[in-house]
Structures are given as C-alpha cells and as structure tokens.
Amino acid sequence: MGTAWELTAALRDQIHRYASYRQTSVSLRQMVQFGPSPSPGSIFLASQFIVEELPIRLALKVKDLESAPFGLCDMPSTQKVKNWYAQSFEELTTLPKPEISPELAKLLNGNGGLDKSRVVDDETNHEDKNFLKQTHNPANSEHVNPAINNVFSDDGIVVRQHSNPRSSSKSRSESPTFGKMYYTSCPTNVVWPKEVYDYNKLVNDALTKIKKRHDATVATMAQGVQEWKHEHKTVSVNSQIQTFLDRFYMSRIGIRMLIGQHIALNMAQASPTKARINKVLNGNTSKSKSNYVGVICTDCNVGEIAEDAIETAKYICEEYYGLFEAPEIQLIAPSNDISFMYVPGHLIHMLFETLKNSLRATIEFHMPRLKQELMSKDPELKEADIDINDLKFPPIKVIISEGSEDIAIKISDEGGGIARSEVPLIWTYLYTTVSKTPVLEPEYDQTSFKAPMAGFGYGLPISRLYAQYFGGDLKLISMEGYGTDVYLHLNRLSSSSEPLP
C-alpha cells in the first residue's frame, strides 16, 4: 500500500531548498480569464506554471509541519500529513518536462512557455492589483491578523503589496516561477499538436492523484491535534497551536483551490472533437456550463446553493438521529434571484456545516422538553416509549439578503444558544460539545469518508476561513436559553468584473 514510501535525506534537502523560494500569487482574475472553454495552449502553459509553483507551496507545508509548536509535529497523524505533502512534492518535481518544438513555440504566441510574455509588469498589471485590493482577502492584512502571515499564507489569490523580509531579491529571482503568470492568452482557433494534450493529461492525472491523497487532511490533522491533547492531558488548544492551525488551513484552502481549478479547466479545455460532439448532442453549450470557469461560477445563485445545503444537512441529520424527517428549515429570500461570482463548493460547505450545528442544537435542546410535555399529559407514558419522530421541533430559518458590498446569509435557530463564556471557544479547533470525538481508522478509505454529524470541532473555524478567504466573514451571536444567529457575509468579489447587470 502506501507504507513503502519514505522521506529520504536527499528529498528533505530538496524540499527545504524549495521552501526558501517565494511563492508567485495567482489572482482570481487570472483564474477566470481562461473562459468556459479554455484554449489547450493556455492550459499547457498553466500546467508548466503549476508544476513549478505547487512544489514551492508543498515544500512550505512540509517545513511548517516539521516545526509545528509544542510537539504537535511529533504526533503520528501530523507525521502522516507531512509525508503526504512530501510525497506530492516528489511526484510533481519528477514529472518529465515537455519538449517544445519550434512549431509549438510559434503556436504559443512565439514564447514557447518562456518568461518573455509571462512577466508580471507592474504597469500593465496594476488593474489586476487594484481588483485584488478590493477583495479584502485576509492575506492582504497580514500585519493586522496575526493568524495569517507571509510565511504560511499560500492562498494563491492575493498579490502581495508588501516586501517579504525573509526573501532577498536573489532568492526571489531564483524561484522557478519568478516572472511567470498562471494565465497566458493563446489562440483558440488552431489545431494543437498531440504533445499539448499529452502534457496537459500528464499534469492533470498527477494533480488528480495528489488531490485524492489530501482529501482527508483536515480530519487527519484533527486527529493529530487530538493525539496532542491526550499526550499533554489538556482539553483545549493553546493560542500558538490555534494560530498555527489557522495558517495551515488557510494555506491548504489556497492549494486546493489552485489544484481544483486546474483540474476543472482541464476537463473543460477546448477540443475540436469534443466541441463537435457537444454540438451534436446538446445543440449549443448549456447556459449552466457557460457560467463556470473551472470551479468558479460567474453567476452563482445563492438561493439554489442554500437549497442544496439544506437538503444535504437534513439528510445527514435524519440518518444520525433516525428521523423520518429532520426539523423544518425555512428559506427566506427575495423574490428575485441573488447571483454573484463565487466558488459554489466553498459556499455549500459553509452553509452545510452551519446548518448541521443548528439542527443538532435544535433537536438536543428541545427533545427533553418535548418529551416531558408529552409525559405530563399522559402520566402512564414512559420516556423510553416516546418516538423522536412524534416530536415537533421549532423551525430553523435561513435568511438571504443582498447589499451593495456583500451578500449576507443568517442562519437562525432556537437551539438553546451558547453560554457567553463559551462563545470564543467555538472558533478554536477541537472544541466540541460531543462527548466522543469520531476516530479515523488507521487505513480508512479516504474517498468514502463521510462527514459526521458532529464531533471534530472543525466545522465553524474552517468555515470562517473559507469565508475570509474571499474577503467575507462568519460571525455568531447567541442568546443562551433561546438560540443562536450565525451571520455569513460573502464579499461581492469585484464590482469591476461583476457579471450581473
């Protein structure tokens, strides 16, 4: 199985060398510039960029995990995650480089994938930088937010506006991706040679394998922290580990975003044969597909995403509690559709995690009271005889509102709320009100891993990072004894490129 792989001294030296390079940022605008049917040539150049850029980010993750504070680095699960990143680094750095013939170089706008047309010019690129400044991505506020800094923050979105004291101009110029950009325009009306598609497939297959390997990173690191807590006989995570995990997971979101986007672009890349087949089968490209550029939806319908999250959360709740039907979740939204540019996968994750919390709180807060009411009406009735399906729980409300700066979603429940002294704890990792944290089997199948109803204590802190990644936020207000309101603020990424009229 995967046990034969080991992190050799030579590989560790190579990883530490790559970790000294500065990362090259990829803007959201670059990600969207590929369009719904990307040119195979643009994907080819982007694949070269990815194969050079991702090892830098993976190397930083390995180095960071090696120096995780207070012995967290020594936990078996932490070591497992570190080795995943090291193995992925090795696979990318050993991929064969493409051979670019003069004919292919000419098709690639004459640059052959070299630096000439891919240098980031401060003057011509200043519009892109202004666009990014508007997003208020937390990685732009590294001096303000101590949880995110330029050592760990490989979010792949923000163009850094400050100097990095760790990196001299020498080390900057030595970076394999120095002067290059993720997106480069290439013609779409040409027949690309086979080697372009072959290299795109090679990189895509490597990224797909890497993405699958890292699917369980969040849960496995959660187990690593749990191991650390048991060893140190503590019930809470200290501030330094909390800060480390914030940085670790924020950087992971960026790496996953870049890998996921590139895989999705590969699936959508323009192929003459594919285009003809699609035209025959579908007539024209469907509107839903034309709204997507990779994993980014340029016209993301918030109401539809909320409905999907509601159905998924209710299903998990019904399975967990043995219910025929979960408590009602009312969706309250304006009659007109609210749409904006966003990553639907991020949004459904945040809503799903928040709704799971509300459903669990509602059931567990009201179940004893509702059972007591039934028993008071019928003194002969025993608590064990009451079926949970006979209880009527108060509804949860999901309210969507649209403003000029952001889209806000409020999830409002009557689940009893949280004590005021415990509210800060809900943002810490491994804080949970579940008595027993789910344990992962040593060699479980990552592809079949199903999110538990509750127990890891990662739902809210990770969801807040997803919100902050694109300049939004997640906030919570509680009324102990009554319920909780969670506010999800979604930044309207850029008025300059907003797809809505």
Side-chain angles (χ1 to χ4, degrees):
M1 313 302 285
T3 53
W5 186 90
E6 66 170 324
L7 178 53
T8 63
L11 180 59
R12 180 178 276 106
D13 288 345
Q14 187 185 14
I15 286 171
H16 281 228
R17 179 164 57 84
Y18 268 75
S20 69
Y21 297 146
R22 278 184 63 183
Q23 303 152 76
T24 299
S25 301
V26 178
S27 71
L28 184 76
R29 176 164 295 183
Q30 285 182 49
M31 288 188 178
V32 175
Q33 278 180 316
F34 287 89
S37 297
S39 162
S42 291
I43 298 289
F44 179 81
L45 293 174
S47 296
Q48 288 181 275
F49 176 90
I50 283 279
V51 169
E52 293 172 333
E53 175 63 21
L54 273 180
I56 300 172
R57 304 183 183 205
L58 296 171
L60 279 166
K61 299 289 277 184
V62 175
K63 190 175 179 184
D64 296 341
L65 285 164
E66 284 182 341
S67 57
F70 297 108
L72 178 60
C73 57
D74 298 321
M75 298 301 105
S77 294
T78 307
Q79 291 283 324
K80 182 187 290 187
V81 173
K82 182 193 74 175
N83 286 338
W84 286 345
Y85 280 110
Q87 190 172 356
S88 298
F89 171 92
E90 184 181 45
E91 288 174 0
L92 281 177
T93 52
T94 55
L95 278 181
K97 296 188 182 301
E99 293 184 11
I100 300 173
S101 65
E103 294 77 15
L104 177 54
K106 188 175 180 182
L107 286 176
L108 295 167
N109 290 332
N111 62 28
L114 300 177
D115 296 354
K116 184 178 176 183
S117 72
R118 304 178 76 187
V119 173
V120 182
D121 187 303
D122 285 339
E123 194 172 323
T124 57
N125 202 40
H126 93 281
E127 181 192 354
D128 203 32
K129 291 182 180 179
N130 287 339
F131 161 76
L132 291 161
K133 284 179 182 176
Q134 295 176 47
T135 67
H136 303 296
N137 185 298
N140 264 345
S141 309
E142 298 174 29
H143 298 299
V144 178
N145 185 352
I148 301 161
N149 64 36
N150 54 358
V151 179
F152 296 93
S153 178
D154 55 351
D155 62 8
I157 285 293
V158 176
V159 174
R160 305 278 192 268
Q161 300 298 323
H162 58 275
S163 61
N164 183 352
R166 291 195 328 128
S167 302
S168 66
S169 58
K170 183 175 183 292
S171 67
R172 173 62 170 145
S173 63
E174 288 173 352
S175 170
T177 50
F178 173 64
K180 298 182 182 179
M181 295 179 68
Y182 181 51
Y183 173 76
T184 305
S185 177
C186 282
T188 55
N189 58 345
V190 300
V191 178
W192 292 94
K194 181 176 179 293
E195 55 258 41
V196 167
Y197 291 100
D198 287 347
Y199 184 69
N200 288 352
K201 183 179 185 304
L202 176 73
V203 175
N204 184 66
D205 290 347
L207 292 179
T208 302
K209 182 180 177 182
I210 288 168
K211 186 173 184 289
K212 183 180 178 183
R213 173 182 295 128
H214 295 272
D215 279 346
T217 293
V218 171
T220 308
M221 273 302 293
Q223 192 153 309
V225 177
Q226 194 71 42
E227 291 161 1
W228 179 86
K229 285 172 66 177
H230 285 314
E231 183 164 305
H232 290 78
K233 298 179 174 57
T234 180
V235 295
S236 61
V237 172
N238 66 36
S239 60
Q240 282 182 270
I241 286 185
Q242 173 74 18
T243 300
F244 170 82
L245 291 171
D246 272 343
R247 294 193 303 252
F248 176 85
Y249 286 119
M250 180 63 89
S251 71
R252 179 184 184 268
I253 290 170
I255 289 174
R256 297 283 285 189
M257 178 72 191
L258 201 52
I259 291 176
Q261 178 70 357
H262 197 73
I263 291 172
L265 289 173
N266 266 280
M267 292 175 66
Q269 71 179 319
S271 159
T273 306
K274 182 178 167 187
R276 283 197 296 271
I277 292 172
N278 284 342
K279 193 168 184 181
V280 171
L281 294 178
N282 305 317
N284 290 311
T285 307
S286 64
K287 184 187 173 192
S288 63
K289 292 296 181 188
S290 67
N291 289 340
Y292 274 82
V293 180
V295 297
I296 301 166
C297 181
T298 57
D299 195 18
C300 180
N301 188 301
V302 182
E304 289 178 2
I305 296 293
E307 287 174 358
D308 287 344
I310 287 168
E311 289 306 309
T312 307
K314 287 179 71 173
Y315 171 77
I316 294 290
C317 176
E318 288 160 1
E319 193 176 64
Y320 184 80
Y321 288 103
L323 285 164
F324 294 134
E325 188 171 355
E328 180 188 4
I329 300 179
Q330 300 172 352
L331 181 60
I332 302 165
S335 55
N336 58 311
D337 286 342
I338 297 176
S339 299
F340 74 134
M341 184 165 68
Y342 209 73
V343 180
H346 289 192
L347 180 52
I348 197 167
H349 175 92
M350 292 183 283
L351 290 173
F352 170 68
E353 288 293 341
T354 310
L355 287 167
K356 273 199 313 178
N357 287 348
S358 289
L359 285 166
R360 185 170 69 90
T362 298
I363 289 172
E364 297 188 0
F365 178 69
H366 286 280
M367 188 158 53
R369 182 183 62 80
L370 293 172
K371 285 185 176 182
Q372 192 62 44
E373 284 181 7
L374 289 177
M375 289 189 292
S376 64
K377 292 176 183 176
D378 183 357
E380 296 183 2
L381 191 63
K382 298 282 190 297
E383 184 176 350
D385 298 329
I386 301 174
D387 189 335
I388 190 174
N389 288 290
D390 295 332
L391 306 178
K392 177 68 175 173
F393 297 98
I396 294 163
K397 294 179 181 178
V398 178
I399 304 159
I400 303 173
S401 177
E402 182 179 29
S404 58
E405 292 185 5
D406 68 6
I407 290 162
I409 304 173
K410 180 169 81 167
I411 294 97
S412 185
D413 67 55
E414 297 176 30
I418 304 163
R420 196 150 58 100
S421 62
E422 291 187 5
V423 170
L425 297 176
I426 65 169
W427 303 113
T428 61
Y429 297 96
L430 267 294
Y431 171 79
T432 177
T433 54
V434 174
S435 57
K436 186 178 180 182
T437 301
V439 176
L440 301 179
E441 294 300 321
E443 297 296 336
Y444 72 95
D445 181 3
Q446 296 170 30
T447 57
S448 64
F449 176 65
K450 183 173 62 181
M453 182 67 188
F456 279 121
Y458 267 51
L460 282 177
I462 292 286
S463 294
R464 184 167 68 169
L465 291 181
Y466 271 111
Q468 292 174 341
Y469 181 69
F470 280 130
D473 207 356
L474 188 66
K475 297 181 178 179
L476 182 145
I477 298 175
S478 176
M479 292 176 66
E480 187 181 7
Y482 180 77
T484 302
D485 288 345
V486 173
Y487 292 86
L488 174 59
H489 294 276
L490 307 169
N491 187 40
R492 305 193 71 149
L493 293 175
S494 169
S495 57
S496 64
S497 60
E498 176 61 52
L500 302 178

